[in-house]
Amino acid sequence: MAPPIALRSDLNAEDDNGENWALLDNAVDPAQVVPGAVMIAGTPRFWSVVRVTAVDADGQVHFVQLDKTDPAARTLLATVA
């Protein structure tokens, strides 16, 4: 069972810097999508814990996937399990 997805995204989509990206319109709560935020991104079938690195003025969200051993990822996963 997947945790609640906060940012619907294709985890294969990468920007020119090699980071993942999605559109702010795909967020459940766009106000929560700010640089430094840790959330679940992807789809119910393929998801990851991510950290938002930037939100562009045009609504493009840039983020990196966190390893399951990352303390921020472990904390988030503990709250949704």
Side-chain angles (χ1 to χ4, degrees):
M1 178 189 231
I5 305 297
L7 180 63
R8 291 182 318 268
S9 62
D10 175 354
L11 295 177
N12 291 314
E14 292 185 353
D15 63 16
D16 293 339
N17 296 322
E19 293 185 353
N20 295 110
W21 69 273
L23 297 176
L24 188 58
D25 289 344
N26 292 337
V28 172
D29 183 358
Q32 298 296 315
V33 183
V34 296
V38 176
M39 59 187 51
I40 306 291
T43 66
R45 188 170 169 147
F46 299 104
W47 57 271
S48 183
V49 178
V50 305
R51 177 174 287 117
V52 176
T53 57
V55 180
D56 295 344
D58 65 356
Q60 190 175 36
V61 179
H62 303 269
F63 58 91
V64 294
Q65 296 181 48
L66 300 181
D67 186 82
K68 66 181 181 180
T69 61
D70 184 287
R74 292 175 66 102
T75 300
L76 177 61
L77 290 172
T79 66
V80 297

